[in-house]
Amino acid sequence: MELQDQEQAVTSEREVFELPSEAQVEAEKEAPLDLTQVQMRIQEIIRVLNNFSDLRGPSHSRNDYMDQLKRDMCFYYGYNEFLMEKLLQLFTVSEAVEFFEANEVARPVTIRTNTLKTRRRDLAQALINRGVNLDPIGKWTKVGLTIFDSPVPVGATPEYMAGHYMIQAASSFLPVMALGPQENEKVLDMSAAPGGKTTYCSALMKNTGMMVANDANKEREKALVANIHRLGVSNAIVCNYDGREFPKVMGGFDRVLLDAPCSGTGVISKDASVKTNKGPEDFSMLTHLQKELILSAIDSVNADSATGGFIVYSTCSVTVDEDEAVVNYALSKRPNVRLVDTGLDFGRPGFTSFRGQAFHHSLALTRRFYPHAHNMDGFFVAKFKKTSNKIVVGDKQVVPAGSGAKLKQKKKKN
């Protein structure tokens, strides 16, 4: 009996799945299948692709199966074809399904303890006394708590109003941890609103030094200012500049954090509109802006800083165009920086090559985070160390404005 069952299982496994004909594909455009049927077909196509040599149809190529898979997944998950293609390139087909499924589930509510006012243990006890069900986020953070259930709105407790915590995605702890701001430093957050990362930096600096919180959007700065006041931050200066102007406005920073504007492909669970409203022109515009901003961030740091000279670049996107490609561009344009370890002991290494593109080998030091693998928003973090304030252009040394350094010039003899 067992042998018969095994034979049936092997026969079933080897059954050839038939792709729909062109006529069927056209007919489905007029009268789509229900979601259950589409889901079953997605599973069948993935089964074939994972054992292609044995299960393929004799007249179909791998591309035929992939094309049908993209069509079905666009319909099932609600993405446009451009973004589906871009995201499928990042994963194996099986892992891609895990990624898309994770985007359909809301991430856990997480909060960051404001160590300027309290300790995590005391905050946790105060919230537990109010009936909140919580746990530490994980071993990687000493200030984060995950909220599973709360009888009161987490953004309206007396502890929240008193500034004992910030409601903040776990992923946005990461760039600040990588930056590692020290006491008495001069630090810039180039895109600071609504203030989660800025106030975390100030907490790590223990309200010493100077924290410059900049955002190009004046409306968003209202929340930034409110959070700075609520959390008791007293070392921050808020300003409203386009980040690309920053080396000229102010420079000489010990550390700069650039959490760049991006497509939001890592936070689809929070904003489902990303599935359909991002096209090639959006990525072209965003990557151009990101490349300008990252050069500005690098030029704003003083390499001669006794304690710093670091830049952290992060995005809430998982696309290579906005992550590794931008970092690789910065390395090519600014030979006076190098990538260093982020200090984050989890996450996946960044790509050093991708679909024919070869990146600098040090891109392996960057870190990628995925919702299906790490139960947090999709995120990317890279950390640079600036080694010199001078850039060699041809046979000349150039000091970018705002780096805090000066190029000595020989005096002409009369």
Side-chain angles (χ1 to χ4, degrees), residues 190-363:
M190 282 186 95
S191 188
K197 286 178 277 292
T198 291
T199 52
Y200 191 6
C201 284
S202 289
L204 292 175
M205 294 162 72
K206 298 182 180 175
N207 258 345
T208 64
M210 181 168 73
M211 182 70 218
V212 178
N214 176 71
D215 203 274
N217 187 326
K218 204 164 188 177
E219 280 302 304
R220 280 169 56 84
E221 289 204 324
K222 292 175 182 176
L224 171 61
V225 171
N227 282 319
I228 284 172
H229 284 302
R230 183 174 62 83
L231 273 70
V233 170
S234 59
N235 69 340
I237 297 169
V238 177
C239 54
N240 173 223
Y241 289 101
D242 184 322
R244 293 170 290 187
E245 297 174 33
F246 234 86
K248 297 170 189 172
V249 173
M250 188 188 301
F253 291 96
D254 295 299
R255 297 170 199 254
V256 173
L257 171 60
L258 171 58
D259 186 35
C262 67
S263 63
T265 51
V267 290
I268 292 171
S269 63
K270 291 178 182 172
D271 182 8
S273 68
V274 173
K275 294 179 179 182
T276 54
N277 68 7
K278 292 291 182 287
E281 60 287 344
D282 297 292
F283 278 86
S284 177
M285 181 270 291
L286 282 166
T287 53
H288 182 72
L289 174 61
Q290 288 157 352
K291 287 172 181 176
E292 290 182 307
L293 285 170
I294 199 170
L295 297 187
S296 294
I298 290 168
D299 293 346
S300 297
V301 167
N302 183 8
D304 298 329
S305 164
T307 56
F310 294 103
I311 305 99
V312 165
Y313 173 80
S314 64
T315 70
C316 55
S317 173
V318 296
T319 65
V320 173
D321 315 46
E322 300 175 89
D323 296 339
E324 286 88 349
V326 173
V327 170
N328 198 62
Y329 171 84
L331 291 173
S332 67
K333 290 293 182 181
R334 293 291 184 268
N336 57 335
V337 297
R338 59 184 171 85
L339 284 171
V340 294
D341 195 307
T342 59
L344 303 169
D345 57 5
F346 70 115
R348 295 186 188 175
F351 291 104
T352 53
S353 61
F354 184 76
R355 298 184 67 81
Q357 289 177 283
F359 302 129
H360 194 272
H361 64 87
S362 63
L363 262 295

Side-chain angles (χ1 to χ4, degrees), residues 117-136:
K117 293 194 172 189
T118 188
R119 296 180 299 177
R120 181 170 70 172
R121 188 189 344 165
D122 298 336
L123 173 62
Q125 191 58 57
L127 293 175
I128 288 168
N129 291 344
R130 296 190 187 280
V132 178
N133 183 11
L134 53 77
D135 255 335

